Amino acid sequence: MKITDLKGYATLYNGVQMPYLGLGVFKVSDGEEVMDAVKTALKVGYRSIDTAAVYRNENGVGEAVKESDIPREEIFMTTKLWNINQGYDRVFSAFDKSLARLGMDYVDLYLIHWPVKGKYLDSWRALEELYQSGKARAIGVCNFLQHHLEDVLSHCNIKPMVNQIEYHPYLTQPQLIKFCIDHDIRPEAWSPLMQGHVTEVNVLNDIGKKYGKSAVQVVLRWDLQNGVITLPKSVHPDRIKDNADIFDFSLTPEEMETIDNLNQGFRFGPDPDNFNF
């Protein structure tokens, strides 16, 4: 992944180009709030928007994309299959409903949101069919640990292209990241800013001062230099713009190692092996 500017991308193993910096809209209200956030991001230059059925804001996301002057084919649209809709037969209806809410005839990436035991393999079979139909240009998973991925890889015809996981300085999951990279599965970070707590980490603030950057910008740069696609979430125009201002500096190997060493194995979100599905 060559880091250049906000137009930069990672190439998935099927050749699809996925922007390496996108806007996440978790917990953003449907309607005006999410529409304003998406429109701001697109105006700034973002070309990747990540939503999910369970976020209940696909309608607003789709409307904002429609109202923008950006051609649909230039926007990388991700949405996700929620847990209650897992299982082969239920996936297709859930996917069609997401498309209808988005007002689109395809998505660029469709993800299984959580590894629901006893269902994710059947769900994956359905995702393979959606991919082969062209309705999803790429398919992948979220929150899959190594043993979940090994299970999918041992049964699939088409392996996942992306694994979106909780990833930040307190949870670096190095073995999982290595497994993904070794198997051409692109790692992607959710909650990269530790729900805002990165601003409380002194070492991140100290590194930022050297470059005239914030702790937030340092962490987003660290993500990209580690080869991890990232999805900072904000509804504030200034922060959406600032989150993209990470292309005029580079962290040194020593600074990268310092941030890597902040790892505590600490999750702000649920543990995929102990999640109440």
Side-chain angles (χ1 to χ4, degrees), residues 6-8 17-19 21-23 38-50 68-78 108:
L6 189 50
K7 297 184 185 300
Q17 295 176 346
M18 180 177 181
L21 185 70
L23 177 74
V38 171
K39 287 179 180 179
T40 297
L42 293 175
K43 186 175 181 180
V44 168
Y46 289 73
R47 290 297 180 267
S48 176
I49 309 296
D50 179 278
S68 76
D69 58 359
I70 311 299
R72 167 66 184 92
E73 61 270 18
E74 295 182 15
I75 298 173
F76 193 96
M77 190 71 244
T78 300
D108 297 279

Side-chain angles (χ1 to χ4, degrees), residues 99-129:
L99 280 188
R101 287 189 291 266
L102 289 166
M104 299 175 183
D105 55 11
Y106 72 96
V107 294
D108 297 279
L109 178 62
Y110 195 51
L111 303 172
I112 296 177
H113 212 146
W114 289 90
V116 178
K117 188 175 181 180
K119 291 188 176 181
Y120 64 79
L121 288 178
D122 285 337
S123 299
W124 186 255
R125 282 198 300 124
L127 261 69
E128 289 180 330
E129 291 190 26

Side-chain angles (χ1 to χ4, degrees), residues 8-108:
Y9 56 85
T11 302
L12 306 183
Y13 78 77
N14 68 339
V16 167
Q17 295 176 346
M18 180 177 181
Y20 49 49
L21 185 70
L23 177 74
V25 295
F26 176 55
K27 289 188 175 180
V28 181
S29 298
D30 200 15
E32 185 176 347
E33 185 176 53
V34 77
M35 289 179 66
D36 287 347
V38 171
K39 287 179 180 179
T40 297
L42 293 175
K43 186 175 181 180
V44 168
Y46 289 73
R47 290 297 180 267
S48 176
I49 309 296
D50 179 278
T51 185
V54 76
Y55 298 173
R56 299 185 183 278
N57 56 22
E58 289 172 313
N59 285 292
V61 169
E63 189 63 27
V65 169
K66 183 179 178 181
E67 291 183 8
S68 76
D69 58 359
I70 311 299
R72 167 66 184 92
E73 61 270 18
E74 295 182 15
I75 298 173
F76 193 96
M77 190 71 244
T78 300
T79 194
K80 310 179 191 77
L81 173 73
W82 187 237
N83 303 331
I84 61 172
N85 292 315
Q86 286 207 38
Y88 178 82
D89 292 329
R90 303 193 68 175
V91 169
F92 301 102
S93 175
F95 179 79
D96 286 343
K97 288 176 181 177
S98 282
L99 280 188
R101 287 189 291 266
L102 289 166
M104 299 175 183
D105 55 11
Y106 72 96
V107 294
D108 297 279

